[in-house]
Amino acid sequence: MKTLTCNKPGEFEYGETQEPQLESGKAIIKVKRIGICGTDLHAYEGTQPYFNYPRVLGHELSGELVAVDGAEGFSEGDLVSIIPYFSCGECVACKAGKPNCCATISVFGVHEDGGMKEFIMVPSSSLIKKEGLSLEELALAEPLAIGAHGVRRAGVIPGEFVIVMGAGPIGLGVMEFARIAGGKVIAMDINEDRLAFCREVLGIEYTVNAKGNYQAEIEQITSGGFAESVIDATGSAVAIHNGFELMAHGGRYVLVGLQKGEIAFSHPDFHKRESTLMSSRNATREDFDNVLEALKDKKVKAASYITHEVGFDHVKENFASWLDPANKVIKAMVKL
């Protein structure tokens, strides 16, 4: 089968590998769609933490189930996606119901080879499906689940202000589920095209360009109180550091985005607010279930995120262009 491997930053290579043979407790999927996410882009750039090369990328995917062992409720021919975080089930996090931050977690397409190939074999326990959803919707379940998990971590309640920094695909998912939770969403980004997308497609009332006097704008929007929840989805050190000053007293700051460096902030300013700082890693099955229901009920119109589509044979020649803001990429989708 044809496989696309990222050998090192900036270098892809097509090759041939063996098709998987079904093993006990596993499932084989004929891959039909692969979403390109920030993790893939950062891996190509060489800026992704927890990453080694060479690696087959791709963990946002959907396809047809062609063989399966030990998956109750699933049958050959089903359209499926996966929860791409494979946990040990034995560590303190797993036993606490947090397999998303398992001590020895292996993320498909990050710690082990992923889905940029014609067939994949994954644990049957990772399968997800929802009748009536398209291949595109199923492939977008994972990035939306990351957003849903971040909102759940923030504990967003109706009527409070939620600043979402970063209007990429993960940030858009955060905005969607913050809105569903009843939050008054303020979208922040430095890309005016993405802010326009937030207004025109998602219906976000408040958008703020972080290149301007964003603090004054947010102070005005919130009548001086700032935001009860601030959620970073940029992975930018500059944005993350700036986010501390946007929290209301008693506010929560959730880091969905990830960067390699250290975080520093004023302890007195943080302390006087009785602030809460937390990370949000991956997502749980509960988050995926919530996302699939929201997609089915049309509360989230994820297909509108897809701005670029390309066949699998043309990923190598197009991938670098998806990093260029001039190309206005929200979500690139690969078709097989």
Side-chain angles (χ1 to χ4, degrees):
M1 63 177 176
K2 182 173 282 190
T3 302
L4 180 61
T5 303
C6 186
N7 288 324
K8 62 182 181 180
E11 182 182 302
F12 276 119
E13 182 181 8
Y14 286 103
E16 295 288 329
T17 55
Q18 287 293 116
E19 290 186 19
Q21 301 299 309
L22 186 64
E23 298 174 6
S24 176
K26 299 293 182 69
I28 296 176
I29 299 169
K30 181 176 177 60
V31 178
K32 296 287 191 180
R33 300 288 186 274
I34 308 165
I36 303 301
C37 77
T39 298
D40 302 322
L41 297 172
H42 295 155
Y44 183 79
E45 290 179 307
T47 59
Q48 177 63 30
Y50 317 134
F51 205 85
N52 294 303
Y53 302 86
R55 180 66 68 222
V56 177
L57 305 179
H59 62 271
E60 300 178 6
L61 56 88
S62 64
E64 179 186 347
L65 190 60
V66 295
V68 61
D69 176 75
E72 185 177 350
F74 289 85
S75 303
E76 294 178 11
D78 285 346
L79 298 184
V80 298
S81 184
I82 64 168
I83 300 175
Y85 327 122
F86 307 147
S87 54
C88 72
E90 297 296 330
C91 71
V92 63
C94 287
K95 288 180 178 178
K98 298 181 178 181
N100 57 299
C101 57
C102 167
T104 57
I105 198 167
S106 182
V107 178
F108 197 63
V110 178
H111 304 106
E112 61 182 81
D113 283 345
M116 285 200 179
K117 46 193 172 186
E118 294 177 275
F119 296 89
I120 59 170
M121 183 164 64
V122 296
S124 296
S125 58
S126 71
L127 294 174
I128 59 171
K129 69 174 182 177
K130 195 71 169 179
E131 295 297 328
L133 296 187
S134 67
L135 287 165
E136 285 75 16
E137 289 172 319
L138 286 167
L140 289 167
E142 192 271 345
L144 288 169
I146 289 177
H149 187 71
V151 170
R152 190 155 63 91
R153 289 280 283 159
V156 174
I157 60 175
E160 69 179 18
F161 283 103
V162 183
I163 294 173
V164 181
M165 300 191 301
I170 298 297
L172 297 179
V174 174
M175 293 176 203
E176 296 266 48
F177 284 93
R179 173 181 53 77
I180 290 170
K184 294 184 287 188
V185 178
I186 303 170
M188 281 186 66
D189 203 287
I190 59 173
N191 185 320
E192 192 56 47
D193 289 326
R194 289 197 167 188
L195 292 175
F197 183 92
C198 292
R199 291 189 299 269
E200 296 164 12
V201 178
L202 300 191
I204 302 299
E205 183 176 359
Y206 306 107
T207 58
V208 175
N209 194 314
K211 287 183 177 179
N213 190 359
Y214 61 88
Q215 189 171 4
E217 285 189 62
I218 289 171
E219 186 174 14
Q220 182 179 22
I221 291 168
T222 61
S223 300
F226 292 92
E228 291 90 339
S229 292
V230 178
I231 305 177
D232 174 75
T234 67
S236 159
V238 172
I240 289 169
H241 284 94
N242 289 343
F244 284 94
E245 65 193 20
L246 303 178
M247 276 190 293
H249 280 248
R252 292 94 63 197
Y253 192 4
V254 178
L255 304 181
V256 176
L258 176 65
Q259 51 92 32
K260 284 186 172 182
E262 296 180 348
I263 296 172
F265 53 88
S266 166
H267 189 176
D269 286 346
F270 186 81
H271 194 94
K272 73 182 181 182
R273 293 180 172 93
E274 197 178 55
S275 308
T276 300
L277 173 64
M278 66 187 88
S279 61
S280 178
R281 190 178 186 195
N282 301 324
T284 66
R285 182 168 288 275
E286 178 183 350
D287 300 309
F288 277 86
D289 289 343
N290 289 339
V291 165
L292 295 177
E293 282 296 327
L295 287 168
K296 182 180 179 181
D297 295 342
K298 305 303 180 186
K299 292 180 180 178
V300 177
K301 298 178 181 178
S304 62
Y305 297 4
I306 300 171
T307 53
H308 294 66
E309 294 182 331
V310 66
F312 184 56
D313 291 342
H314 300 287
V315 174
K316 179 179 177 179
E317 66 196 70
N318 283 277
F319 200 94
S321 70
W322 298 333
L323 290 158
D324 186 349
N327 291 321
K328 301 181 180 182
V329 179
I330 299 293
K331 172 62 68 176
M333 186 68 67
V334 179
K335 291 186 173 184
L336 284 80

